[in-house]
PDB file of all heavy atoms in Angstrom:
ATOM      1  N   GLN G  41      -0.153  -9.681   9.693  1.00 54.00           N
ATOM      2  CA  GLN G  41      -0.026 -11.052   9.626  1.00 54.00           C
ATOM      3  C   GLN G  41      -1.214 -11.665   8.783  1.00 54.00           C
ATOM      4  O   GLN G  41      -1.028 -12.625   8.022  1.00 54.00           O
ATOM      5  CB  GLN G  41       0.119 -11.807  10.980  1.00 54.00           C
ATOM      6  CG  GLN G  41       0.298 -13.264  10.919  1.00 54.00           C
ATOM      7  CD  GLN G  41       0.446 -13.905  12.238  1.00 54.00           C
ATOM      8  OE1 GLN G  41       0.654 -13.168  13.280  1.00 54.00           O
ATOM      9  NE2 GLN G  41       0.492 -15.168  12.299  1.00 54.00           N
ATOM     10  N   ARG G  42      -2.315 -11.104   8.987  1.00 51.00           N
ATOM     11  CA  ARG G  42      -3.478 -11.593   8.249  1.00 51.00           C
ATOM     12  C   ARG G  42      -4.128 -10.586   7.244  1.00 51.00           C
ATOM     13  O   ARG G  42      -3.881 -10.624   6.142  1.00 51.00           O
ATOM     14  CB  ARG G  42      -4.569 -12.197   9.287  1.00 51.00           C
ATOM     15  CG  ARG G  42      -4.098 -13.454  10.047  1.00 51.00           C
ATOM     16  CD  ARG G  42      -3.740 -14.606   9.002  1.00 51.00           C
ATOM     17  NE  ARG G  42      -3.325 -15.705   9.640  1.00 51.00           N
ATOM     18  CZ  ARG G  42      -2.729 -16.849   8.867  1.00 51.00           C
ATOM     19  NH1 ARG G  42      -2.816 -16.814   7.639  1.00 51.00           N
ATOM     20  NH2 ARG G  42      -2.272 -17.768   9.515  1.00 51.00           N
ATOM     21  N   THR G  43      -5.089  -9.853   7.868  1.00 37.00           N
ATOM     22  CA  THR G  43      -5.895  -9.039   6.916  1.00 37.00           C
ATOM     23  C   THR G  43      -5.824  -7.507   6.966  1.00 37.00           C
ATOM     24  O   THR G  43      -6.004  -6.821   6.092  1.00 37.00           O
ATOM     25  CB  THR G  43      -7.435  -9.340   6.957  1.00 37.00           C
ATOM     26  OG1 THR G  43      -7.775  -9.249   8.357  1.00 37.00           O
ATOM     27  CG2 THR G  43      -7.573 -10.881   6.573  1.00 37.00           C
ATOM     28  N   LYS G  44      -5.516  -6.934   8.308  1.00 37.00           N
ATOM     29  CA  LYS G  44      -5.481  -5.607   8.346  1.00 37.00           C
ATOM     30  C   LYS G  44      -4.330  -4.937   7.787  1.00 37.00           C
ATOM     31  O   LYS G  44      -3.203  -5.407   8.039  1.00 37.00           O
ATOM     32  CB  LYS G  44      -5.508  -5.124   9.906  1.00 37.00           C
ATOM     33  CG  LYS G  44      -5.622  -3.581  10.062  1.00 37.00           C
ATOM     34  CD  LYS G  44      -5.744  -3.371  11.593  1.00 37.00           C
ATOM     35  CE  LYS G  44      -5.718  -1.805  11.788  1.00 37.00           C
ATOM     36  NZ  LYS G  44      -5.669  -1.510  13.242  1.00 37.00           N
ATOM     37  N   THR G  45      -4.529  -4.046   6.935  1.00 36.00           N
ATOM     38  CA  THR G  45      -3.326  -3.627   6.085  1.00 36.00           C
ATOM     39  C   THR G  45      -3.148  -2.037   6.272  1.00 36.00           C
ATOM     40  O   THR G  45      -4.220  -1.341   6.171  1.00 36.00           O
ATOM     41  CB  THR G  45      -3.585  -3.902   4.620  1.00 36.00           C
ATOM     42  OG1 THR G  45      -3.712  -5.272   4.532  1.00 36.00           O
ATOM     43  CG2 THR G  45      -2.310  -3.429   3.845  1.00 36.00           C
ATOM     44  N   VAL G  46      -1.909  -1.557   6.379  1.00 36.00           N
ATOM     45  CA  VAL G  46      -1.702  -0.125   6.347  1.00 36.00           C
ATOM     46  C   VAL G  46      -0.665   0.122   5.365  1.00 36.00           C
ATOM     47  O   VAL G  46       0.351  -0.596   5.322  1.00 36.00           O
ATOM     48  CB  VAL G  46      -1.230   0.337   7.779  1.00 36.00           C
ATOM     49  CG1 VAL G  46      -0.847   1.861   7.641  1.00 36.00           C
ATOM     50  CG2 VAL G  46      -2.280   0.177   8.828  1.00 36.00           C
ATOM     51  N   ILE G  47      -0.779   1.109   4.622  1.00 38.00           N
ATOM     52  CA  ILE G  47       0.254   1.563   3.633  1.00 38.00           C
ATOM     53  C   ILE G  47       0.625   2.954   3.972  1.00 38.00           C
ATOM     54  O   ILE G  47      -0.181   3.824   4.233  1.00 38.00           O
ATOM     55  CB  ILE G  47      -0.259   1.548   2.132  1.00 38.00           C
ATOM     56  CG1 ILE G  47      -0.817   0.164   1.777  1.00 38.00           C
ATOM     57  CG2 ILE G  47       0.823   2.059   1.244  1.00 38.00           C
ATOM     58  CD1 ILE G  47      -1.419   0.101   0.438  1.00 38.00           C
ATOM     59  N   ARG G  48       1.978   3.220   4.059  1.00 40.00           N
ATOM     60  CA  ARG G  48       2.391   4.543   4.303  1.00 40.00           C
ATOM     61  C   ARG G  48       3.661   4.768   3.306  1.00 40.00           C
ATOM     62  O   ARG G  48       4.283   3.930   3.054  1.00 40.00           O
ATOM     63  CB  ARG G  48       2.866   4.771   5.605  1.00 40.00           C
ATOM     64  CG  ARG G  48       3.845   3.786   6.245  1.00 40.00           C
ATOM     65  CD  ARG G  48       4.055   3.968   7.742  1.00 40.00           C
ATOM     66  NE  ARG G  48       4.832   2.954   8.345  1.00 40.00           N
ATOM     67  CZ  ARG G  48       6.077   2.936   8.431  1.00 40.00           C
ATOM     68  NH1 ARG G  48       6.898   3.963   7.920  1.00 40.00           N
ATOM     69  NH2 ARG G  48       6.726   1.938   8.951  1.00 40.00           N
ATOM     70  N   ARG G  49       3.705   6.104   2.863  1.00 38.00           N
ATOM     71  CA  ARG G  49       4.783   6.567   2.015  1.00 38.00           C
ATOM     72  C   ARG G  49       5.726   7.389   2.795  1.00 38.00           C
ATOM     73  O   ARG G  49       5.302   8.208   3.583  1.00 38.00           O
ATOM     74  CB  ARG G  49       4.233   7.189   0.724  1.00 38.00           C
ATOM     75  CG  ARG G  49       3.165   6.362  -0.022  1.00 38.00           C
ATOM     76  CD  ARG G  49       2.727   7.203  -1.184  1.00 38.00           C
ATOM     77  NE  ARG G  49       1.480   6.785  -1.696  1.00 38.00           N
ATOM     78  CZ  ARG G  49       0.821   7.378  -2.641  1.00 38.00           C
ATOM     79  NH1 ARG G  49       1.327   8.391  -3.295  1.00 38.00           N
ATOM     80  NH2 ARG G  49      -0.302   6.876  -2.976  1.00 38.00           N
ATOM     81  N   THR G  50       6.878   7.392   2.357  1.00 37.00           N
ATOM     82  CA  THR G  50       7.970   8.432   2.949  1.00 37.00           C
ATOM     83  C   THR G  50       7.611   9.816   2.414  1.00 37.00           C
ATOM     84  O   THR G  50       7.120   9.897   1.351  1.00 37.00           O
ATOM     85  CB  THR G  50       9.275   8.002   2.666  1.00 37.00           C
ATOM     86  OG1 THR G  50       9.497   7.991   1.250  1.00 37.00           O
ATOM     87  CG2 THR G  50       9.539   6.516   3.043  1.00 37.00           C
ATOM     88  N   ALA G  51       7.933  10.722   3.244  1.00 35.00           N
ATOM     89  CA  ALA G  51       7.678  12.099   2.784  1.00 35.00           C
ATOM     90  C   ALA G  51       8.396  12.444   1.540  1.00 35.00           C
ATOM     91  O   ALA G  51       7.993  13.187   0.655  1.00 35.00           O
ATOM     92  CB  ALA G  51       8.004  13.040   3.971  1.00 35.00           C
ATOM     93  N   THR G  52       9.566  11.877   1.371  1.00 36.00           N
ATOM     94  CA  THR G  52      10.436  12.095   0.195  1.00 36.00           C
ATOM     95  C   THR G  52      10.155  11.289  -0.986  1.00 36.00           C
ATOM     96  O   THR G  52      10.718  11.466  -2.004  1.00 36.00           O
ATOM     97  CB  THR G  52      11.894  12.013   0.518  1.00 36.00           C
ATOM     98  OG1 THR G  52      12.094  10.657   1.021  1.00 36.00           O
ATOM     99  CG2 THR G  52      12.351  13.025   1.629  1.00 36.00           C
ATOM    100  N   GLY G  53       9.325  10.316  -0.737  1.00 39.00           N
ATOM    101  CA  GLY G  53       9.124   9.312  -1.735  1.00 39.00           C
ATOM    102  C   GLY G  53       7.693   9.211  -2.438  1.00 39.00           C
ATOM    103  O   GLY G  53       7.291   8.229  -2.913  1.00 39.00           O
ATOM    104  N   VAL G  54       6.971  10.362  -2.379  1.00 36.00           N
ATOM    105  CA  VAL G  54       5.529  10.272  -2.859  1.00 36.00           C
ATOM    106  C   VAL G  54       5.453   9.940  -4.408  1.00 36.00           C
ATOM    107  O   VAL G  54       4.765   9.095  -4.742  1.00 36.00           O
ATOM    108  CB  VAL G  54       4.880  11.706  -2.563  1.00 36.00           C
ATOM    109  CG1 VAL G  54       3.579  11.686  -3.302  1.00 36.00           C
ATOM    110  CG2 VAL G  54       4.783  11.989  -1.178  1.00 36.00           C
ATOM    111  N   ALA G  55       6.312  10.570  -5.068  1.00 37.00           N
ATOM    112  CA  ALA G  55       6.211  10.216  -6.598  1.00 37.00           C
ATOM    113  C   ALA G  55       6.716   8.815  -6.800  1.00 37.00           C
ATOM    114  O   ALA G  55       5.905   8.063  -7.588  1.00 37.00           O
ATOM    115  CB  ALA G  55       7.236  11.112  -7.404  1.00 37.00           C
ATOM    116  N   SER G  56       7.854   8.323  -6.259  1.00 38.00           N
ATOM    117  CA  SER G  56       8.181   7.012  -6.525  1.00 38.00           C
ATOM    118  C   SER G  56       7.236   5.954  -5.934  1.00 38.00           C
ATOM    119  O   SER G  56       7.350   4.776  -6.405  1.00 38.00           O
ATOM    120  CB  SER G  56       9.586   6.747  -5.980  1.00 38.00           C
ATOM    121  OG  SER G  56       9.591   6.893  -4.600  1.00 38.00           O
ATOM    122  N   ALA G  57       6.568   6.291  -4.907  1.00 39.00           N
ATOM    123  CA  ALA G  57       5.610   5.384  -4.230  1.00 39.00           C
ATOM    124  C   ALA G  57       4.406   5.134  -5.010  1.00 39.00           C
ATOM    125  O   ALA G  57       3.573   4.176  -4.678  1.00 39.00           O
ATOM    126  CB  ALA G  57       5.416   5.813  -2.830  1.00 39.00           C
ATOM    127  N   GLY G  58       3.998   6.112  -5.890  1.00 42.00           N
ATOM    128  CA  GLY G  58       2.739   6.125  -6.524  1.00 42.00           C
ATOM    129  C   GLY G  58       2.363   4.807  -7.204  1.00 42.00           C
ATOM    130  O   GLY G  58       1.205   4.248  -7.019  1.00 42.00           O
ATOM    131  N   VAL G  59       3.281   4.233  -8.012  1.00 40.00           N
ATOM    132  CA  VAL G  59       3.056   2.921  -8.676  1.00 40.00           C
ATOM    133  C   VAL G  59       2.855   1.838  -7.692  1.00 40.00           C
ATOM    134  O   VAL G  59       1.875   1.086  -7.807  1.00 40.00           O
ATOM    135  CB  VAL G  59       4.119   2.629  -9.739  1.00 40.00           C
ATOM    136  CG1 VAL G  59       3.944   1.265 -10.321  1.00 40.00           C
ATOM    137  CG2 VAL G  59       4.117   3.706 -10.772  1.00 40.00           C
ATOM    138  N   ALA G  60       3.795   1.767  -6.742  1.00 43.00           N
ATOM    139  CA  ALA G  60       3.622   0.642  -5.850  1.00 43.00           C
ATOM    140  C   ALA G  60       2.302   0.702  -5.006  1.00 43.00           C
ATOM    141  O   ALA G  60       1.647  -0.278  -4.719  1.00 43.00           O
ATOM    142  CB  ALA G  60       4.820   0.626  -4.843  1.00 43.00           C
ATOM    143  N   ALA G  61       1.857   1.897  -4.622  1.00 42.00           N
ATOM    144  CA  ALA G  61       0.672   2.126  -3.811  1.00 42.00           C
ATOM    145  C   ALA G  61      -0.589   1.700  -4.643  1.00 42.00           C
ATOM    146  O   ALA G  61      -1.504   1.164  -4.250  1.00 42.00           O
ATOM    147  CB  ALA G  61       0.643   3.508  -3.324  1.00 42.00           C
ATOM    148  N   ALA G  62      -0.547   2.185  -5.964  1.00 42.00           N
ATOM    149  CA  ALA G  62      -1.676   1.854  -6.808  1.00 42.00           C
ATOM    150  C   ALA G  62      -1.680   0.391  -7.093  1.00 42.00           C
ATOM    151  O   ALA G  62      -2.796  -0.204  -7.058  1.00 42.00           O
ATOM    152  CB  ALA G  62      -1.494   2.536  -8.145  1.00 42.00           C
ATOM    153  N   THR G  63      -0.714  -0.313  -7.152  1.00 38.00           N
ATOM    154  CA  THR G  63      -0.581  -1.686  -7.390  1.00 38.00           C
ATOM    155  C   THR G  63      -1.102  -2.505  -6.172  1.00 38.00           C
ATOM    156  O   THR G  63      -1.973  -3.293  -6.271  1.00 38.00           O
ATOM    157  CB  THR G  63       0.885  -2.172  -7.405  1.00 38.00           C
ATOM    158  OG1 THR G  63       1.478  -1.522  -8.614  1.00 38.00           O
ATOM    159  CG2 THR G  63       1.048  -3.703  -7.755  1.00 38.00           C
ATOM    160  N   PHE G  64      -0.711  -1.965  -5.000  1.00 40.00           N
ATOM    161  CA  PHE G  64      -1.240  -2.666  -3.744  1.00 40.00           C
ATOM    162  C   PHE G  64      -2.735  -2.473  -3.541  1.00 40.00           C
ATOM    163  O   PHE G  64      -3.523  -3.273  -3.170  1.00 40.00           O
ATOM    164  CB  PHE G  64      -0.422  -2.210  -2.481  1.00 40.00           C
ATOM    165  CG  PHE G  64      -0.775  -2.927  -1.203  1.00 40.00           C
ATOM    166  CD1 PHE G  64      -0.510  -4.113  -0.983  1.00 40.00           C
ATOM    167  CD2 PHE G  64      -1.770  -2.297  -0.388  1.00 40.00           C
ATOM    168  CE1 PHE G  64      -0.919  -4.840   0.056  1.00 40.00           C
ATOM    169  CE2 PHE G  64      -2.055  -2.926   0.727  1.00 40.00           C
ATOM    170  CZ  PHE G  64      -1.729  -4.254   0.981  1.00 40.00           C
ATOM    171  N   ALA G  65      -3.165  -1.113  -3.835  1.00 40.00           N
ATOM    172  CA  ALA G  65      -4.482  -0.818  -3.586  1.00 40.00           C
ATOM    173  C   ALA G  65      -5.424  -1.690  -4.418  1.00 40.00           C
ATOM    174  O   ALA G  65      -6.540  -2.122  -3.995  1.00 40.00           O
ATOM    175  CB  ALA G  65      -4.769   0.618  -3.852  1.00 40.00           C
ATOM    176  N   ALA G  66      -5.049  -1.770  -5.744  1.00 35.00           N
ATOM    177  CA  ALA G  66      -5.702  -2.714  -6.639  1.00 35.00           C
ATOM    178  C   ALA G  66      -5.756  -4.150  -6.274  1.00 35.00           C
ATOM    179  O   ALA G  66      -6.795  -4.872  -6.300  1.00 35.00           O
ATOM    180  CB  ALA G  66      -5.247  -2.666  -7.887  1.00 35.00           C
ATOM    181  N   GLY G  67      -4.559  -4.560  -5.659  1.00 34.00           N
ATOM    182  CA  GLY G  67      -4.566  -5.912  -5.161  1.00 34.00           C
ATOM    183  C   GLY G  67      -5.429  -6.139  -3.975  1.00 34.00           C
ATOM    184  O   GLY G  67      -6.147  -7.115  -3.749  1.00 34.00           O
ATOM    185  N   LEU G  68      -5.531  -5.116  -3.139  1.00 34.00           N
ATOM    186  CA  LEU G  68      -6.331  -5.172  -1.863  1.00 34.00           C
ATOM    187  C   LEU G  68      -7.869  -5.334  -2.262  1.00 34.00           C
ATOM    188  O   LEU G  68      -8.535  -6.015  -1.641  1.00 34.00           O
ATOM    189  CB  LEU G  68      -6.133  -3.927  -0.984  1.00 34.00           C
ATOM    190  CG  LEU G  68      -6.912  -3.803   0.292  1.00 34.00           C
ATOM    191  CD1 LEU G  68      -6.568  -5.079   1.115  1.00 34.00           C
ATOM    192  CD2 LEU G  68      -6.499  -2.586   1.033  1.00 34.00           C
ATOM    193  N   GLU G  69      -8.169  -4.432  -3.270  1.00 37.00           N
ATOM    194  CA  GLU G  69      -9.520  -4.465  -3.652  1.00 37.00           C
ATOM    195  C   GLU G  69      -9.859  -5.853  -4.266  1.00 37.00           C
ATOM    196  O   GLU G  69     -11.020  -6.361  -4.053  1.00 37.00           O
ATOM    197  CB  GLU G  69      -9.729  -3.386  -4.763  1.00 37.00           C
ATOM    198  CG  GLU G  69     -11.105  -3.262  -5.178  1.00 37.00           C
ATOM    199  CD  GLU G  69     -11.403  -2.197  -6.279  1.00 37.00           C
ATOM    200  OE1 GLU G  69     -10.401  -1.499  -6.472  1.00 37.00           O
ATOM    201  OE2 GLU G  69     -12.486  -2.128  -6.854  1.00 37.00           O
ATOM    202  N   LEU G  70      -9.051  -6.300  -5.163  1.00 35.00           N
ATOM    203  CA  LEU G  70      -9.322  -7.614  -5.700  1.00 35.00           C
ATOM    204  C   LEU G  70      -9.529  -8.709  -4.635  1.00 35.00           C
ATOM    205  O   LEU G  70     -10.301  -9.511  -4.722  1.00 35.00           O
ATOM    206  CB  LEU G  70      -8.231  -8.015  -6.656  1.00 35.00           C
ATOM    207  CG  LEU G  70      -8.268  -9.326  -7.389  1.00 35.00           C
ATOM    208  CD1 LEU G  70      -9.486  -9.448  -8.145  1.00 35.00           C
ATOM    209  CD2 LEU G  70      -6.872  -9.679  -8.135  1.00 35.00           C
TER     210      LEU G  70
END
């Protein structure tokens, strides 16, 4: 709801999740 964030990828979706995870990580750092 506020600030604590968890990202998880599905076992079958590692490749397709790469871009979204990188996007979110960069956003979290910013």
